[in-house]
């Protein structure tokens, strides 16, 4: 599949999955897993923390932009609301319950279950639910991206928002989702030109140098977008300034990332359909290793150990995206739940139209 035709096909309903977007989702989720594996190790290596900083600058923005792009058709139609509930709300409740129970089982602790305080990776499901539910609003406003960016800037200076439902992250990452909603296939074609691929090499090289330089000078927590400026011991005005600065850096590196994503089918293309499985399930592996103290082994805090951990978690999240794993955990990630919903007249009519005649 050519690079030029890829996104255009994804834009048409009823067509087969587009290789470019599946490749991008898989590569982004591998970077997410590697970043989580680096967290316990990066304190002993300035180089690793520099790479970690660069990866955290763009891996979630890239994933969120794609999520926004594929939410463009969302409306309040009953079948889409059902999929939002079964594919986002139900997994949130199940994994928000499973993570603390898992910790209690492994460590013997007594972690409480709270559906208002997203645990570890589940914040993304809360965010996706809120973002997607507000999609019709963003289609109505005149300058959606500018409005979303303004909201993110205000949130970064408002610690009173609190921690419920991780709303700081929801609001500070909002512009990336809205940007995805505003994008068209030709925008992806622009960043996938050969000239952009070539330019991405020095851009990433410069980003790695800046990341290395910034390690002792900058609080990495800025990249998590989960705190207001005051909570990071910074003046309130630095929140909006950092929001703009990080937005610029993130979009630049995300464009470079998209430029390198292959548009043809590869061995990992099919794994793009299972990235949410990999995202939510790899957290158990990271936390198990953390609870058991595996990251505390001294030899893992040297270059060879860091490389080994990186490869292991990249392989693990790859396995978790495969079809067999999807079949096992589909009850939690994509439950049918027909028993829970009424079937509206329009949906029954669509089913009758699809039914074979005679």
């Amino acid at each position: 599949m050519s690079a030029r035709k890829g996104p255009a096909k994804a834009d048409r309903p009823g067509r087969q999955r587009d290789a470019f977007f599946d490749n991008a989702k898989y590569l982004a989720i591998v970077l997410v897993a590697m970043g989580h594996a680096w967290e316990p190790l990066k304190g002993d290596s300035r180089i690793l923390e520099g790479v970690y900083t660069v990866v955290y600058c763009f891996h979630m923005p890239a994933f969120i932009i794609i999520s926004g792009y594929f939410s463009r058709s969302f409306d309040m139609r009953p079948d889409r609301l059902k999929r939002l509930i079964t594919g986002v709300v139900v997994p949130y409740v199940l994994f928000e319950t499973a993570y603390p129970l898992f910790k209690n089982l492994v460590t013997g602790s007594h972690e409480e279950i709270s559906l208002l305080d997203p645990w570890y990776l589940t914040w993304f499901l809360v965010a996706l639910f809120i973002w997607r539910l507000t999609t019709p609003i963003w289609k109505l406003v005149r300058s959606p991206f500018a409005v979303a960016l303004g909201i993110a800037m205000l949130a970064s200076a408002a610690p009173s928002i609190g921690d419920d439902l991780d709303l700081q992250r929801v609001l500070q990452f909002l512009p990336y989702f809205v940007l995805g909603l505003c994008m068209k296939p030709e925008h992806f074609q622009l960043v996938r030109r050969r000239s952009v691929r070539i330019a991405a090499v020095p851009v990433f090289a410069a980003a790695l140098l800046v990341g290395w330089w910034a390690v002792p000078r900058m609080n990495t927590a800025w990249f998590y977008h989960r705190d207001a400026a005051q909570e990071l011991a910074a003046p309130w005005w630095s929140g909006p300034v950092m929001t703009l600065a990080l937005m610029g850096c993130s979009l630049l590196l995300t464009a470079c990332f998209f430029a390198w994503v292959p548009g043809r089918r590869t061995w990992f293309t099919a794994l793009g359909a299972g990235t949410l499985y990999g995202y939510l399930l790899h957290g158990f592996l990271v936390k198990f290793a953390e609870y058991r103290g595996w990251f505390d082994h001294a030899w893992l805090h040297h270059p060879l150990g860091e490389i080994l951990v990186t490869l292991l978690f990249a392989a693990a999240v790859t396995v978790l995206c495969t079809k067999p794993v999807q079949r096992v955990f589909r009850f939690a990630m994509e439950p049918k739940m027909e028993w829970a919903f009424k079937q509206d007249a329009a949906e029954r009519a669509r089913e009758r139209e699809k039914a074979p005649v005679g």
Side-chain angles (χ1 to χ4, degrees):
M1 185 180 295
S2 68
R4 181 165 296 275
K5 293 182 181 178
K9 286 189 177 182
D11 199 41
R12 300 171 191 164
R15 296 293 182 120
Q16 67 179 52
R17 297 180 66 93
D18 183 86
F20 167 76
F21 291 107
D22 277 336
N23 292 339
K25 288 196 295 181
Y26 166 75
L27 294 173
I29 219 65
V30 168
L31 290 173
V32 169
M34 292 193 305
H36 289 150
W38 292 338
E39 283 179 12
L41 307 175
K42 64 184 178 65
D44 297 318
S45 171
R46 184 172 177 177
I47 293 176
L48 182 61
E49 188 157 2
V51 175
Y52 173 91
T53 299
V54 173
V55 168
Y56 260 73
C57 191
F58 75 90
H59 70 346
M60 282 310 294
F63 200 77
I64 293 168
I65 287 172
I66 294 174
S67 298
Y69 180 76
F70 282 100
S71 297
R72 291 170 303 153
S73 63
F74 182 84
D75 53 27
M76 294 301 178
R77 210 171 73 183
D79 59 326
R80 289 182 175 136
L81 288 173
K82 289 177 186 177
R83 284 199 296 271
L84 184 64
I85 293 171
T86 58
V88 177
V89 176
V90 172
Y92 172 73
V93 173
L94 292 177
F95 280 86
E96 182 69 4
T97 303
Y99 270 121
L101 290 179
F102 179 74
K103 181 179 181 180
N104 295 342
L105 179 65
V106 176
T107 66
S109 59
H110 301 282
E111 190 83 21
E112 293 184 354
I113 298 170
S114 172
L115 297 182
L116 293 178
D117 186 16
W119 215 89
Y120 195 33
L121 305 177
T122 57
W123 72 268
F124 180 72
L125 294 176
V126 173
L128 189 59
F129 176 75
I130 295 173
W131 295 335
R132 193 164 284 171
L133 205 60
T134 60
T135 294
I137 297 175
W138 299 114
K139 292 178 180 179
L140 286 176
V141 298
R142 194 176 289 272
S143 302
F145 178 70
V147 173
L149 183 57
I151 291 173
M153 293 170 67
L154 290 173
S156 68
S160 59
I161 289 175
D163 297 326
D164 287 350
L165 296 179
D166 227 341
L167 283 179
Q168 275 290 352
R169 268 181 171 166
V170 174
L171 297 177
Q172 291 192 38
F173 274 117
L174 174 63
Y176 299 101
F177 182 82
V178 175
L179 179 62
L181 287 176
C182 298
M183 292 185 72
K184 294 180 171 61
E186 51 265 30
H187 294 136
F188 290 96
Q189 293 166 9
L190 285 174
V191 300
R192 298 175 61 208
R193 294 175 298 178
R194 185 171 183 272
S195 59
V196 180
R197 286 196 199 98
I198 295 171
V201 176
V203 169
F204 261 114
L208 290 170
L209 288 175
V210 172
W212 180 87
W213 173 86
V215 166
R217 298 173 175 85
M218 183 178 176
N219 188 344
T220 309
W222 283 107
F223 294 93
Y224 303 148
H225 297 285
R226 67 186 177 199
D227 301 296
Q230 297 92 321
E231 295 170 298
L232 298 177
W236 71 267
W237 55 263
S238 63
V241 171
M242 286 298 293
T243 299
L244 284 174
L246 290 176
M247 172 66 67
C249 295
S250 296
L251 292 182
L252 177 62
L253 293 180
T254 299
C256 294
F257 169 72
F258 284 147
W260 285 351
V261 172
R264 66 186 183 282
R265 291 195 64 82
T266 66
W267 64 268
F268 55 79
T269 300
L271 301 176
T275 49
L276 194 58
Y277 288 81
Y279 175 77
L280 289 172
L281 293 172
H282 88 274
F284 291 102
L285 301 180
V286 175
K287 287 301 180 182
F288 185 80
E290 182 182 308
Y291 298 151
R292 290 299 187 186
W294 292 354
F295 291 115
D296 297 333
H297 293 290
W299 65 275
L300 289 179
H301 294 255
H302 296 285
L304 287 179
E306 293 162 359
I307 292 171
L308 177 62
V309 169
T310 300
L311 295 176
L312 284 176
F313 276 90
V317 77
T318 298
V319 171
L320 294 176
C321 291
T322 58
K323 291 292 184 183
V325 173
Q326 291 180 47
R327 283 195 291 269
V328 171
F329 290 96
R330 185 164 285 127
F331 75 95
M333 302 290 291
E334 300 175 271
K336 295 294 183 183
M337 293 183 62
E338 296 296 337
W339 54 268
F341 302 107
K342 296 178 181 179
Q343 192 175 31
D344 68 301
E347 189 173 347
R348 286 196 297 269
R350 283 193 294 271
E351 288 183 358
R352 283 197 297 268
E353 289 177 1
K354 292 178 182 177
V357 179

